[in-house]
Amino acid sequence: MSPIYIPRRKFIRGAIATAAFGATSQLWAGCTEQAPTNTANTGAPSTSGSPAAALLTIGFVYVGPKDDFGYSQAHYEGETAIAKLPNVKTVSEASVAETATVQETMLSMINQNNVSALFPTSFGYFDPHILKVAAANPKVQFFHCGGMYTEGKHPKNIGSYYGYIDEAEYVAGVVAGLTTKTGKLGFVAAKPIPQVVRNINSYTLGARSVNPKVTVQVIFTGDWSVPVKEAEAANSMVDQGVDVLTCHVDSPKVVMETAEKRKIFCTGYHANQSKLAPNGYLTGAEWDWTSVYTQYVEWFKAGKSVTDGGIPHLVRGGLKEKFCKVSPFGSAVSAATKKEAEKVLAKFMDGSMVIYAGEIKDNTGKVVIAKGKEYKQTDLDLEKMDWFVEGVIGNVKS
C-alpha cells in the first residue's frame, strides 16, 4: 500500500487539532491521498576523515510552480544548485498563495524540518506574513526577495536581497532597439510597483540609446499571473505594429509563445525562455540566484547571521556582482547588434555604466533627473520610482 502524504499545511492544522482534543490516534488516518508538492534535497557529505560539519537545512517557498519558465523557476534553479553543496539540505514548497497559508508553510518547515534559514521568495509574503512569523521565531533567519528591511521597525532576524536586473534589461533594450523595424516595442507588465517601473524605464533607455525614435507601449494586467490577460495584451500590441515584445510577469511563457506565434521578436525575463521562441528570441534579463544563494550558504557556514549583523540586512547587486545575467543571443541578432550590446555589457561589468544620468525627462516632458545629476544603482530613490521615462506609452497610475 502506498504511503499517504499529508501536505505540510494540513500537518500543522492536524497537529493543532490533535493537541486541542487530546487525541492519540495517528495523524495519517482519514486524510486524502495526494501527490506531494514539496521536495527535499541533500548535498554531498563532508570530506571523509574531516570533522563532521553541521548540516544546514534551508527552506524555500514559491508562489508559482517550479517549472513556470519564470520567477519561481529561476529561484528553484538556485535552490537546486545549493542543494548539491556539502552539508546542505533544502526543503521547499511551490504554489503557495500570498495569504496566511504561507505562514503555515513557514511554521511547518520550522517545526517539522528544523530549518535554520528561510527564503520565502514572493514579494507579497513580506508584510504581514514574514514579519509575524519571524517575530515569533527569533532563532530562525528569514530572507525576503525585494522587501525593504527597516532598522528599528522590523525584527532583526529578517534580511532582504534583490538585484539590479534593470542592467540586463538595459542591454536587452539595446538589442531590441537595434532589431525593431517598426520602432514599436511592447511591454506586458503585472503591477506598477517600483521594481516593474524601473525595468520598463531601463529597457526603454537602452533601446532609445541606440534608436531615439523607439517607443515602448506598456499594458498592465493587474496581477503577477493572468495568462489570458497577458495573451490579450500581447496580441493587442502586435495588432498595433509592435514587433518586439517583452514582459515583467511571473511567467513570461504566454508572452514569448504569442510573440513566436505572431512571428515577431521577443526578449525574456526571469529565466531563459529561448526554447519557447526559437526563431524570435533575441536575448533576455535573467536572474542568477545560484550565485546569490551560494553566497548566503558561505555566510552561514562561516557562522554569520543577519540577526547579529554578520550578514547585511540589505543585500543588492547587479551584473558585476552576478545577481543577474544576459541570456545568450538568439539567431535573429545580427553581428553588429551583438557587438554593440557586448560593448554596453562590458561597461556594466567594469562599473563605468550609469543608467540614470541626467538630463532625463518623464513621458510628460517634465525633467525628473537634472543635467549633471546621476543616480547610482544603490540609490534608494530608484527603489521608489513612480514615473515613466520619455518614450514610454502608458501611465504608472493606470
Side-chain angles (χ1 to χ4, degrees):
M1 180 179 177
S2 300
I4 297 176
Y5 172 77
I6 299 179
R8 58 179 72 248
R9 293 189 293 275
K10 284 189 176 181
F11 179 90
I12 286 292
R13 291 169 183 161
I16 292 171
T18 301
F21 293 100
T24 56
S25 59
Q26 293 186 6
L27 287 170
W28 306 112
C31 293
T32 302
E33 184 173 5
Q34 69 179 73
T37 57
N38 64 318
T39 60
N41 302 309
T42 306
S46 57
T47 305
S48 178
S50 63
L55 178 67
L56 281 171
T57 304
I58 302 170
F60 288 83
V61 187
Y62 308 114
V63 71
K66 297 172 182 176
D67 57 352
D68 64 356
F69 279 97
Y71 187 85
S72 294
Q73 179 173 317
H75 283 285
Y76 180 60
E77 289 172 358
E79 180 204 337
T80 302
I82 66 166
K84 298 175 182 175
L85 298 175
N87 301 308
V88 174
K89 175 185 176 182
T90 67
V91 295
S92 59
E93 184 158 339
S95 301
V96 179
E98 293 174 330
T99 64
T101 298
V102 73
Q103 294 184 37
E104 296 182 8
T105 297
M106 289 187 284
L107 288 171
S108 173
M109 290 181 176
I110 293 168
N111 296 320
Q112 287 190 68
N113 304 107
N114 296 316
V115 298
S116 57
L118 269 165
F119 290 87
T121 57
S122 190
F123 188 83
Y125 292 159
F126 188 66
D127 189 0
H129 311 299
I130 290 176
L131 296 179
K132 186 175 180 179
V133 177
N137 294 273
K139 293 184 178 180
V140 179
Q141 300 182 72
F142 295 76
F143 299 94
H144 179 250
C145 185
M148 291 288 287
Y149 172 82
T150 302
E151 181 75 32
K153 178 181 178 182
H154 296 147
K156 290 184 177 180
N157 56 327
I158 292 178
S160 164
Y161 61 101
Y162 199 66
Y164 306 126
I165 198 169
D166 64 313
E167 295 179 356
E169 288 281 17
Y170 187 97
V171 177
V174 168
V175 175
L178 290 172
T179 305
T180 179
K181 304 299 181 187
T182 65
K184 296 180 179 180
L185 314 181
F187 205 118
V188 181
K191 300 180 181 183
I193 65 171
Q195 289 94 335
V196 177
V197 172
R198 185 169 173 175
N199 275 342
I200 294 168
N201 284 340
S202 295
Y203 186 79
T204 305
L205 290 170
R208 288 171 68 89
S209 72
V210 294
N211 189 346
K213 293 182 179 180
V214 160
T215 59
V216 178
Q217 184 176 349
V218 176
I219 294 180
F220 287 108
T221 62
D223 213 337
W224 297 110
S225 181
V226 278
V228 173
K229 287 187 177 180
E230 292 158 14
E232 290 175 350
N235 277 308
S236 172
M237 287 193 280
V238 177
D239 289 341
Q240 295 174 57
V242 162
D243 66 352
V244 183
L245 274 174
T246 191
C247 61
H248 184 153
V249 295
D250 267 8
S251 174
K253 187 173 186 292
V254 167
V255 176
M256 299 299 114
E257 290 180 334
T258 300
E260 186 77 353
K261 184 179 179 181
R262 298 294 301 269
K263 298 182 179 179
I264 66 166
F265 303 108
C266 57
T267 66
Y269 188 58
H270 289 312
N272 189 334
Q273 287 105 32
S274 58
K275 291 181 180 177
L276 302 173
N279 296 309
Y281 193 82
L282 299 176
T283 183
E286 294 183 39
W287 291 107
D288 189 357
W289 296 128
T290 293
S291 169
V292 176
Y293 291 142
T294 298
Q295 174 63 71
Y296 274 106
V297 168
E298 290 174 359
W299 279 329
F300 298 152
K301 288 187 173 181
K304 298 179 179 180
S305 79
V306 69
T307 308
D308 64 16
I311 297 174
H313 282 285
L314 291 176
V315 174
R316 298 289 190 269
L319 288 165
K320 184 179 180 182
E321 294 79 19
K322 296 184 178 180
F323 271 66
C324 54
K325 55 189 175 182
V326 175
S327 298
F329 299 119
S331 59
V333 181
S334 70
T337 297
K338 286 181 188 177
K339 185 176 181 181
E340 185 64 29
E342 287 169 348
K343 189 165 65 177
V344 177
L345 181 58
K347 291 177 71 176
F348 277 117
M349 298 304 286
D350 69 20
S352 63
M353 181 68 198
V354 178
I355 297 175
Y356 292 94
E359 180 184 82
I360 292 180
K361 295 180 180 177
D362 68 14
N363 65 350
T364 69
K366 176 186 174 184
V367 174
V368 287
I369 300 178
K371 186 177 182 180
K373 183 176 178 59
E374 291 184 351
Y375 282 100
K376 298 292 178 60
Q377 291 292 72
T378 53
D379 197 314
L380 292 180
D381 281 346
L382 295 180
E383 298 199 26
K384 304 171 185 174
M385 190 175 286
D386 61 355
W387 42 267
F388 278 143
V389 296
E390 187 175 26
V392 175
I393 301 171
N395 189 334
V396 173
K397 309 300 181 185
S398 64

